[in-house]
Amino acid sequence: MRIVRLFWAGVQIESQGATLVIDLLEQTAPIRPFMGDPRLPIVFGPEVLDFALVTHLHPDHYDPDTLRRKLRTDAKVLCDPANAAKIARDGFTVMEVALYEPTSVGPFIVTALPAVDGLGDPQISFLVEAENTKVMHFGDTLWHGHWWKIRTRCGQPNVAFLPINGAITQFPNMKPSGIPADLMPDQAASAAAILGAELACPMHYGAFHNPPVYVELPDAERMFLEAADRLGIISQIIEPGNEVAIR
């Protein structure tokens, strides 16, 4: 099994010759008016993809142009049932995944997990299993009370990818809340601790900062590493494009 962190919240998982991506993002033009130009180089995924998982439809997590170009003609896009109609209208073959119901696709077993979206839109997280390895990916969820149930029902992940940038948003036509729209670094570390993750990898930080519309927490990486250390969690910075060393 091969696990690669891609740009922003993207993750690539390979097993038995099949390639799956979660929240692949390569085309940033649709989000630049709100999130600004990327501050990090965009890391491109493989040119041919067998499966795609989409946690939610925010354009920094759902990139239909790239998926349309790279997915095989018979490839499936797995998503929350609430988002299936939109993804199907975009021309994809959709597979709806219900919470806690494992679904087999190729060599992978995919399970949808609870999440809470910072803007109130439908969002899920994912567990991907292959070759006796469990990978959890948490999109850009807020803190919620489902961590304990996820561990009880799904077991401890070998690798957990968690958003950490605690972004404060001020999007047009939305009254600003001043409340982070995704996990703060210490919250992400606490979630990893509750889950019992063997390895916690931060994601969804460092690439976008466009005040006052999108303001990410400064020094989020250091804060996450320090919080994980306090909680006894093994954490690792995986730079985009690099592979996770599975323990």
Side-chain angles (χ1 to χ4, degrees):
M1 186 179 190
R2 184 168 181 256
I3 307 168
V4 179
R5 183 184 169 214
L6 301 175
F7 179 70
W8 196 228
V11 170
Q12 166 191 336
I13 303 175
E14 300 175 16
S15 179
Q16 299 180 38
T19 301
L20 172 154
V21 292
I22 310 172
D23 286 1
L24 178 66
L25 174 65
E26 295 182 5
Q27 300 295 325
T28 61
I31 62 176
R32 291 188 185 195
F34 308 106
M35 299 176 69
D37 293 330
R39 301 191 299 167
L40 297 174
I42 296 173
V43 173
F44 297 93
E47 286 304 308
V48 180
L49 303 173
D50 298 290
F51 307 100
L53 277 55
V54 176
T55 60
H56 61 301
L57 297 183
H58 295 173
D60 59 327
H61 291 257
Y62 174 53
D63 179 356
D65 289 340
T66 296
L67 293 180
R68 197 175 288 113
R69 189 176 71 254
K70 293 190 169 188
L71 280 171
R72 296 184 185 276
T73 55
D74 59 345
K76 293 180 173 61
V77 177
L78 284 70
C79 66
D80 186 321
N83 292 326
K86 161 61 177 167
I87 295 174
R89 286 197 300 273
D90 287 340
F92 299 105
T93 301
V94 176
M95 180 177 287
E96 300 178 13
V97 285
L99 293 180
Y100 295 118
E101 293 187 9
T103 300
S104 294
V105 287
F108 307 104
I109 299 175
V110 176
T111 305
L113 305 175
V116 177
D117 186 80
L119 301 180
D121 296 317
Q123 180 173 167
I124 55 176
S125 297
F126 285 107
L127 163 63
V128 179
E129 301 176 76
E131 301 179 36
N132 296 314
T133 300
K134 295 182 176 183
V135 180
M136 290 184 181
H137 181 286
F138 292 99
D140 66 358
T141 187
L142 291 169
W143 177 264
H144 54 66
H146 297 278
W147 311 109
W148 294 270
K149 185 178 291 186
I150 290 172
R151 175 169 174 168
T152 298
R153 298 188 66 162
C154 300
Q156 299 170 245
N158 299 95
V159 183
F161 287 95
L162 299 128
I164 68 165
N165 77 336
I168 303 291
T169 63
Q170 189 171 320
F171 293 128
N173 302 317
M174 296 184 72
K175 183 176 177 63
S177 69
I179 303 297
D182 66 326
L183 290 175
M184 299 282 285
D186 59 336
Q187 293 175 328
S190 182
I194 294 168
L195 293 166
E198 292 183 7
L199 178 65
C201 299
M203 64 174 188
H204 196 276
Y205 71 97
F208 297 103
H209 181 67
N210 187 36
V213 180
Y214 190 90
V215 180
E216 83 163 9
L217 186 72
D219 216 9
E221 184 179 280
R222 177 189 60 79
M223 295 171 66
F224 173 79
L225 293 174
E226 290 178 353
D229 185 62
R230 288 195 301 270
L231 294 169
I233 295 299
I234 297 174
S235 59
Q236 186 177 355
I237 303 301
I238 307 295
E239 298 295 339
N242 289 351
E243 187 171 346
V244 179
I246 304 173
R247 301 176 63 211

